[in-house]
């Protein structure tokens, strides 16, 4: 039985295919159309998923869409009456949803009559919860989803047992931890969609001196259930104007309108920072306070969820679940002992969640799949890689291309990293979700304190306050970090052991933490072999890992890897077993 999950007309448009209860492929549309966080209809992603599964449009039995227009209809109507322009925008998006079968047929230049699949609408947050629980290794788990907004809710929680989820409650618009973080992110001068993680990095440079204000901006409240919180709405505008989000346009990065009010500035001690203005200590302290208040509320909810469900495992999803700093603290601040965070915890993951929701919750099928790695995107053959090199300037520009066996490849490559050079590492199938996890990665020496500046100057061009991440051999995690619970998808930040900090200064953040990836031979044998060889040569079982891109979606095809290599000042590139070095 084939189930196609589609996240369409929403940020991070994506598709996933589940065949007989096993995930076969999942990918974001941005990897194909090269537009970051692309919304619209994910035609290329769907094409790829069907090709990977070896099926055609008429072989699909079910299509799962993570949007239910009937969820919270009363709340929606109440706000629609007060915010006509917001209602009009939503109506436009909804009209597109009713034509999703036609859009699917059009993407394949087919007749809608040939689609025999049953269509299912899965509520946004139920799809988030399903994306995490149904692919987790846990038989029983507490579930929490938290994001900006989806189907007029911002958080949902419950418990999963076997092949069923029971929803306990949710928090509805306008109260939202995601919109809270986005609004203050905007106030601090970071206006682009998806900039919240920059502010999370900035927070480590400040001290939370504004907690009184932030406890007024987000308040604990029994309203919305016993885990509830409410926003101090005077500080926001989205409940009056509607969150101005443009989702519907195909192939565009979503745009978020201004969400904080003048009262926010009055309470936080000054006008909003303009993007071109310098960052001052005040801004860093505000970022630290924003983060600290998020942690209080988020971890507070998790604590209560643990007490209520009495299970020791938790599954997380939704954009807020990308807050690796908060996630890393849950072992110390809540009773949970195990956690699973979906690698595409944001809205891309809804495609997987909706598909598994239909398989388990709707059709009642038993569990038979665990997502223990993230390599569900496109892969390319050696022949395709060679063809890409042939048609690139590399074939006639004096570059050296060496075809090495595995042992030689690891030796040479680890030596290149140890010499302080910057390496592009392109292997196998692309990662699902926003983190490069050793198949589309740029890898560098973690021992060199200057490596962060070098990477920024030569390749990444990012804000200097943003940290780079470590990949570590999973079996060595406890020797280098204060915790050893697996973090295969870089969704947890742990404290680097004090005696190890000067050994891996480049991926250790200013507060002594690292947003680590734990690498096992089962999940990624080649990456594990590379880090093992680096350890053999240097004594350090860690490499610095950043995504293979330069202000663009992560590279997908070999052509994009070659372009990025040529465009930037990367020293060497490995594509499969081919090592390319500059003249
Ligand atoms: Fe969401």
């Amino acid at each position: 039985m084939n189930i196609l999950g589609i996240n369409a007309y929403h940020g991070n448009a994506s598709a996933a295919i589940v065949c007989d209860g096993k995930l076969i492929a999942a990918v974001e549309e941005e990897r194909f159309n090269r537009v970051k966080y692309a919304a619209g209809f994910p035609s290329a992603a769907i094409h790829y998923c069907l090709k990977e599964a070896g099926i055609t449009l008429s072989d699909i039995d079910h299509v799962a869409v993570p949007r239910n227009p009937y969820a919270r209809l009363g709340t929606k109507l109440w706000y629609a009456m007060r915010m006509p322009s917001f209602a009009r925008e939503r109506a436009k998006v909804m009209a597109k949803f009713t034509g999703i079968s036609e859009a699917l047929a059009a993407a394949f230049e087919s007749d809608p009559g040939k689609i025999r699949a049953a269509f299912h609408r899965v509520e946004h947050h139920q799809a988030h919860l399903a994306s995490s629980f149904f692919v987790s290794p846990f038989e029983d788990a507490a579930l929490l989803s938290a994001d900006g907004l989806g189907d007029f809710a911002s958080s949902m929680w419950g418990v999963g047992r076997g092949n069923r989820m029971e929803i306990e409650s949710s928090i509805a618009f306008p109260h939202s931890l995601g919109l809270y973080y986005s609004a203050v992110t905007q106030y601090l001068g970071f206006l682009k969609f998806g900039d919240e993680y920059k502010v999370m990095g900035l927070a480590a440079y400040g001290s939370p001196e504004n907690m009184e204000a932030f406890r007024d901006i987000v308040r604990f409240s029994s309203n919305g259930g016993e885990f509830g919180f409410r926003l101090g709405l005077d500080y926001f505008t989205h409940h009056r104007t509607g969150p101005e989000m443009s989702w519907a346009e195909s192939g565009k990065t979503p745009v978020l309108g201004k969400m904080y009010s003048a009262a926010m500035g009055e309470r936080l001690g000054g006008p909003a920072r303009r993007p071109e203005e310098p960052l001052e200590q005040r801004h860093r302290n505000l970022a630290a306070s924003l983060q600290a208040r998020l942690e209080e509320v988020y971890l507070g909810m998790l604590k209560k969820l643990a007490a209520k469900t009495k299970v020791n495992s938790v599954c997380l999803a939704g954009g807020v679940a990308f807050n690796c700093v908060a996630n890393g603290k849950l072992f110390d601040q809540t009773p949970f002992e195990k956690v699973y965070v979906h690698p595409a915890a944001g809205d891309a993951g809804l495609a997987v969640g909706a598909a598994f929701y239909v398989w388990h919750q709707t059709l009642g099928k038993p569990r038979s799949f665990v997502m223990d790695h993230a390599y569900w995107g496109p892969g390319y053959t050696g022949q395709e890689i060679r063809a890409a090199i042939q048609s690139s300037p590399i074939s006639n520009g004096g570059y050296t291309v060496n075809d090495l066996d595995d042992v030689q490849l690891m030796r040479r490559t680890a030596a290149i990293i140890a010499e302080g050079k910057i390496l592009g590492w392109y292997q196998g199938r692309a990662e699902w979700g926003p983190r490069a996890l050793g198949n589309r990665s740029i890898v560098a020496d973690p021992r060199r304190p200057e490596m962060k500046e070098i990477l920024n100057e030569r390749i990444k061009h990012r804000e200097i306050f943003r940290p780079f991440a470590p990949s570590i051999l999973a079996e060595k995690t406890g020797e280098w970090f204060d915790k050893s619970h697996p973090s295969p998808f870089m969704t947890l930040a742990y404290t680097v052991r004090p005696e190890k900090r000067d050994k891996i200064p480049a991926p250790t953040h200013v507060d002594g933490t690292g947003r680590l990836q734990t690498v096992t031979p089962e999940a990624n044998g080649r990456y594990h072999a590379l880090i093992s060889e680096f350890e053999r040569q240097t004594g350090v079982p860690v490499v610095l890992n950043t995504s293979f891109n330069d202000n663009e979606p992560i590279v997908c095809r070999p052509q994009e890897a070659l372009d990025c290599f040529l465009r930037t000042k990367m020293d060497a590139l490995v594509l499969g077993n081919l090592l390319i070095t500059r003249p």
Side-chain angles (χ1 to χ4, degrees):
M1 184 183 291
N2 303 315
I3 306 176
L4 175 68
I6 303 175
N7 179 40
Y9 310 125
H10 202 74
N12 294 301
S14 64
I17 186 85
V18 174
C19 302
D20 295 328
K22 308 247 186 319
L23 183 68
I24 304 297
V27 67
E28 296 93 331
E29 186 72 2
E30 66 159 30
R31 306 296 159 92
F32 297 106
N33 71 4
R34 313 302 300 155
V35 176
K36 223 167 176 184
Y37 310 118
F41 190 78
S43 303
I46 296 170
H47 268 282
Y48 159 69
C49 284
L50 267 53
K51 188 173 140 228
E52 192 70 44
I55 60 173
T56 65
L57 200 55
S58 56
D59 296 320
I60 298 170
D61 300 285
H62 299 274
V63 174
V65 179
R67 179 73 74 106
N68 184 353
Y70 302 107
R72 290 172 204 80
L73 196 55
T75 318
K76 281 176 190 169
L77 289 172
W78 194 88
Y79 277 99
M81 288 189 308
R82 281 153 186 81
M83 300 184 289
S85 64
F86 179 45
R88 270 198 303 278
E89 180 63 23
R90 291 188 65 84
K92 264 195 272 176
V93 173
M94 282 306 158
K96 283 184 180 274
F97 269 93
T98 56
I100 208 156
S101 163
E102 285 76 12
L104 192 53
F108 286 80
E109 295 175 4
S110 175
D111 174 359
K114 287 194 180 148
I115 300 175
R116 60 179 184 84
F119 279 69
H120 303 261
R121 294 182 178 284
V122 181
E123 191 189 339
H124 186 102
H125 282 277
Q126 297 211 33
H128 271 316
L129 296 178
S131 80
S132 196
F133 176 58
F134 287 137
V135 304
S136 77
F138 309 138
E139 180 64 19
D140 298 326
L143 317 175
L144 176 67
S145 167
D147 67 4
L149 182 68
D151 277 332
F152 248 61
S154 72
S155 326
M156 184 176 280
W157 54 91
V159 65
R161 299 192 192 279
N163 67 345
R164 302 287 301 168
M165 299 189 305
E166 284 164 32
I167 307 305
E168 286 275 345
S169 192
S170 60
I171 293 178
F173 181 87
H175 303 288
S176 162
L177 282 181
L179 296 184
Y180 151 71
Y181 215 93
S182 300
V184 181
T185 294
Q186 290 180 343
Y187 172 81
L188 289 172
F190 299 91
L191 304 182
K192 285 195 195 136
F193 183 82
D195 271 356
E196 292 81 1
Y197 62 99
K198 296 183 184 173
V199 175
M200 184 177 72
L202 182 67
Y205 290 85
S207 61
E209 291 179 356
N210 311 80
M211 292 311 286
E212 199 187 323
F214 277 86
R215 286 181 185 131
D216 193 37
I217 293 171
V218 186
R219 305 162 189 175
F220 275 119
S221 160
S222 59
N223 196 327
E226 61 196 277
F227 307 134
F229 64 86
R230 289 178 75 79
L231 298 183
L233 289 173
D234 288 351
Y235 302 114
F236 298 87
T237 59
H238 63 277
H239 59 295
R240 289 198 294 268
T241 60
E244 295 168 46
M245 292 185 227
S246 68
W247 297 121
E249 279 194 70
S250 210
K252 292 252 175 78
T253 296
V255 177
L256 216 52
K258 177 173 162 270
M259 285 189 296
Y260 59 89
S261 70
M264 177 89 77
E266 283 159 28
R267 187 68 208 241
L268 299 183
R273 172 181 165 266
R274 285 199 297 273
E276 66 278 10
E277 288 177 344
L279 274 167
E280 295 165 3
Q281 195 52 40
R282 182 178 88 86
H283 302 121
R284 298 185 189 100
N285 293 344
L286 289 170
S289 310
L290 161 77
Q291 174 68 22
R293 183 57 179 156
L294 176 95
E295 289 169 14
E296 281 182 351
V297 177
Y298 182 65
L299 295 169
M301 289 168 82
L302 284 168
K303 226 181 294 182
K304 289 173 188 158
L305 187 60
K308 192 165 176 74
T309 57
K310 298 185 177 59
V311 289
N312 67 357
S313 303
V314 63
C315 293
L316 303 171
V320 177
F322 276 135
N323 198 301
C324 55
V325 178
N327 291 345
K329 293 180 179 171
L330 70 82
F331 300 104
D332 293 334
Q333 297 194 23
T334 81
F336 290 119
E337 291 163 12
K338 294 179 196 164
V339 59
Y340 184 87
V341 189
H342 187 91
D347 287 342
L350 294 168
V352 167
F356 276 99
Y357 182 97
V358 168
W359 179 249
H360 295 300
Q361 195 89 356
T362 309
L363 302 174
K365 301 288 188 184
R367 302 266 298 275
S368 62
F369 173 81
V370 173
M371 190 188 284
D372 48 14
H373 66 77
Y375 312 104
W376 303 103
Y380 298 85
T381 63
Q383 212 174 1
E384 288 170 309
I385 290 173
R386 281 181 179 284
I389 294 171
Q390 283 297 319
S391 56
S392 81
I394 282 173
S395 59
N396 52 16
Y399 293 85
T400 311
V401 182
N402 281 308
D403 192 353
L404 303 171
D405 65 34
D406 284 358
V407 174
Q408 280 304 318
L409 180 76
M410 299 310 167
R411 273 192 200 147
R412 289 276 300 277
T413 309
I416 288 171
I417 300 167
E419 284 163 19
K421 295 188 170 142
I422 298 175
L423 176 86
W425 178 253
Y426 180 102
Q427 300 289 340
R429 293 179 67 181
E431 293 87 348
W432 164 237
R435 302 281 166 259
L437 298 168
N439 277 6
R440 302 285 186 278
S441 287
I442 292 171
V443 181
D445 190 342
R447 302 169 302 162
R448 297 167 188 265
E450 72 279 12
M451 192 46 79
K452 200 171 147 182
E453 284 77 22
I454 293 173
L455 271 168
N456 265 326
E457 188 187 308
R458 289 173 51 186
I459 302 183
K460 301 289 286 191
H461 310 115
R462 328 192 303 189
E463 294 82 355
I464 195 66
F465 57 82
R466 286 169 57 192
F468 286 103
S471 295
I472 182 166
L473 299 179
E475 63 272 25
K476 299 291 170 76
T477 311
E479 293 172 28
W480 290 72
F481 291 89
D482 70 336
K483 298 186 177 59
S484 55
H485 184 286
S487 174
F489 307 135
M490 263 187 199
T491 49
L492 301 164
Y494 298 158
T495 299
V496 181
R497 288 189 174 280
E499 70 276 17
K500 300 288 191 190
R501 284 180 201 167
D502 62 346
K503 294 190 166 64
I504 51 167
T508 299
H509 201 21
V510 64
D511 59 356
T513 63
R515 187 194 67 198
L516 73 167
Q517 174 197 4
T518 54
V519 183
T520 63
E522 295 77 25
N524 194 333
R526 287 172 80 75
Y527 196 39
H528 190 272
L530 175 64
I531 305 171
S532 299
E533 179 59 28
F534 184 79
E535 183 190 26
R536 201 185 63 77
Q537 293 184 19
T538 66
V540 173
V542 178
V543 294
L544 182 156
N545 171 10
T546 184
S547 52
F548 198 148
N549 60 350
D550 169 23
N551 282 313
E552 59 182 328
I554 299 177
V555 299
C556 183
R557 301 177 304 152
Q559 287 90 333
E560 285 134 19
L562 289 161
D563 286 349
C564 186
F565 170 66
L566 290 167
R567 203 170 61 235
T568 62
K569 292 177 182 156
M570 219 177 286
D571 296 295
L573 169 63
V574 173
L575 296 157
N577 280 58
L578 299 175
L579 169 63
I580 304 173
T581 47
R582 290 184 181 276

